[in-house]
Amino acid sequence: MTAQQGIDDLRAEAVRALEAAGEMEATRQWYREYLGDKGSVSLLTRQIGTLPREERKAFGEAVNAAKTELAALLAEKQERLDTAALNDRILAEALDVTLPGRPVERGFLHPTTRIVREVCDIFGKMGFQTVEGPEVEYAKYNFDMLNIPADHPARDVWDTFHVDSGGVGEIVMRTHTSPMQVRTMLSQKPPVRVVVPGRCYRYEATDATHLAMFYQIEGLAVDEGITLADLKGTLTEFARQMFGSARKTRFRCDFFPFVEPGVDFGIDCPICGGKGCRVCKQTGWIELLGAGMVHPRVLEMAGYDSTKYTGFAFGMGPERLTMLRYGLSDIRDFYTNDVRWLRQMDAAWL
Ligand code: FA5
């Protein structure tokens, strides 16, 4: 075998081995075997010394030519492997633009928001403006100016969260929206007609009908010549718009220190039509809210002339209104964020 033949054989073997190398790491191994410092092609140069002088040049050139050719084949092969790997990756990460998108869920309003808006709209049509007030309130407005002085036993009825005021007077989380009666009268002259939705807080054990945080909607109308008949007419109209035109209404005496006389206002049960059921506890009647004629002392404390002006006020719980309208049994469902309950309410809403 001539020296040239040895080169050709090794070259041919290297080409076959390179073709068989299926991945990048195999081509690196191939490089080490054939072209690296100790690779078999590189080692061929060591044979030069064993050859006759006149053959050495041609042999050296042939080895170099073989090395160059093999290096070019290696580069080509590696590029092909690179491209194939890239194509695989592109395919693997490909986006199928024909797939349908994930549906975006439509939100809906919370039942409290809905009922509050409905109630305010009903009173809005009767000329009541919607206003809001602070949830952290001076005891002066929450109690004193509503005719509930510090030593008055009625103050204990409202289980109150107190706030550290830092010495600027007694401050509480408002226990009802009634302090907005005072704030409204202090800030504007009669005639006044407002409804006030907002959160209230009471230090109460939570159960199926009580929460420590709940909403109220207050109403206040003050003008010359307002009578109990106006209160009755306004609330009756409200109840019929809210619970249907067939509703019978009922006014009974009740006590709140800031009204005189005070009433509790109810309707015949909209679930059973007055026959008696679980919702009305078999009485046929349902209490809706507390109300009354604004106490003359409250008018005077707010700077209104009680010999000239009279008014009525009312306060209701919108969660309880919703419970009555839909026959719900547990007020806690409003704020536990169970989406299934919220969806049911959304679907059931009239
Ligand atoms: C009051 O808070 C009076 N300020 C209402 C009022 C206003 C009377 C103006 C006269 C004139 P009462 O404590 O009854 O009253 O609360 C009114 C309504 O708030 C209740 O009928 C009820 O629906 C709701 N409510 C009261 N406490 C809670 C509670 N812990 N959880 C849920 N709702 C409540």
Side-chain angles (χ1 to χ4, degrees):
M1 187 173 76
T2 65
Q4 179 62 47
Q5 220 170 5
I7 298 173
D8 287 346
D9 286 353
L10 188 55
R11 196 188 117 275
E13 179 201 317
V15 169
R16 275 195 306 279
L18 185 59
E19 269 164 18
E23 52 177 85
M24 210 45 125
E25 187 44 44
T27 65
R28 287 191 201 106
Q29 177 62 27
W30 179 91
Y31 177 82
R32 284 191 288 277
E33 274 174 29
Y34 292 97
L35 297 182
D37 289 346
K38 291 182 183 143
S40 44
V41 178
S42 308
L43 293 179
L44 281 174
T45 48
R46 294 202 184 158
Q47 295 179 18
I48 288 181
T50 67
L51 294 173
R53 191 167 288 281
E54 63 280 10
E55 287 179 23
R56 288 184 186 170
K57 184 164 178 263
F59 181 83
E61 281 170 3
V63 170
N64 277 340
K67 279 179 86 173
T68 311
E69 187 198 344
L70 289 172
L73 286 175
L74 174 67
E76 208 178 283
K77 172 90 185 188
Q78 286 185 328
E79 191 175 326
R80 251 184 292 132
L81 287 176
D82 262 345
T83 311
L86 187 67
N87 281 342
D88 284 352
R89 228 182 80 200
I90 289 173
L91 277 181
E93 292 174 5
L95 199 69
D96 181 353
V97 291
T98 64
L99 277 177
R102 288 199 190 102
V104 178
E105 270 204 62
R106 257 185 78 202
F108 47 87
L109 293 177
H110 190 276
T112 304
T113 307
R114 281 178 116 143
I115 198 86
V116 164
R117 287 190 187 174
E118 249 179 64
V119 171
C120 292
D121 280 353
I122 291 172
F123 283 103
K125 287 189 200 121
M126 292 193 255
F128 286 75
Q129 194 192 345
T130 300
V131 295
E132 289 181 308
E135 291 168 25
V136 181
E137 185 57 286
Y138 290 107
K140 185 173 68 170
Y141 297 143
N142 195 82
F143 294 123
D144 303 53
M145 292 179 76
L146 286 169
N147 201 27
I148 315 170
D151 57 354
H152 197 286
R155 202 139 156 165
D156 299 336
V157 174
W158 280 277
D159 305 287
T160 312
F161 287 114
H162 286 263
V163 175
D164 183 356
S165 73
V168 296
E170 191 184 349
I171 294 184
V172 299
M173 300 303 292
R174 69 175 173 195
T175 57
H176 50 177
T177 42
S178 299
M180 271 304 283
Q181 289 185 32
V182 178
R183 284 180 177 272
T184 304
M185 288 191 280
L186 288 174
S187 67
Q188 69 185 80
K189 301 231 156 326
V192 165
R193 263 194 232 119
V194 292
V195 277
V196 190
R199 289 189 197 89
C200 302
Y201 303 83
R202 288 186 197 177
Y203 184 58
E204 277 192 270
T206 297
D207 62 25
T209 52
H210 294 84
L211 292 169
M213 188 289 297
F214 54 95
Y215 275 71
Q216 280 194 350
I217 303 174
E218 191 81 8
L220 175 70
V222 184
D223 202 352
E224 286 180 51
I226 289 192
T227 69
L228 190 66
D230 296 303
L231 170 65
K232 292 176 82 171
T234 305
L235 290 182
T236 299
E237 178 58 20
F238 161 70
R240 290 185 177 160
Q241 290 212 25
M242 191 86 218
F243 291 98
S245 54
R247 292 283 67 79
K248 292 193 194 108
T249 58
R250 179 179 79 172
F251 292 83
R252 292 190 304 182
C253 287
D254 201 352
F255 171 76
F256 298 94
F258 34 91
V259 286
E260 181 57 37
V263 298
D264 107 41
F265 171 63
I267 51 176
D268 60 334
C269 177
I271 305 288
C272 63
K275 289 191 207 74
C277 69
R278 180 182 61 86
V279 175
C280 62
K281 298 193 186 90
Q282 311 304 331
T283 64
W285 290 94
I286 273 171
E287 289 171 22
L288 276 194
L289 50 85
M293 299 305 291
V294 182
H295 199 292
R297 268 222 291 277
V298 173
L299 292 173
E300 290 292 337
M301 278 189 273
Y304 281 15
D305 180 353
S306 66
T307 61
K308 189 169 171 202
Y309 296 110
T310 49
F312 63 78
F314 55 85
M316 67 184 93
E319 294 94 349
R320 286 201 194 155
L321 282 187
T322 313
M323 292 172 73
L324 295 174
R325 193 156 84 172
Y326 295 104
L328 309 176
S329 54
D330 199 327
I331 197 170
R332 289 169 290 202
D333 289 331
F334 278 82
Y335 304 114
T336 41
N337 281 335
D338 184 337
V339 178
R340 293 165 305 176
W341 185 85
L342 292 168
R343 280 215 188 92
Q344 266 182 18
M345 289 304 294
D346 182 56
W349 209 268
L350 298 173

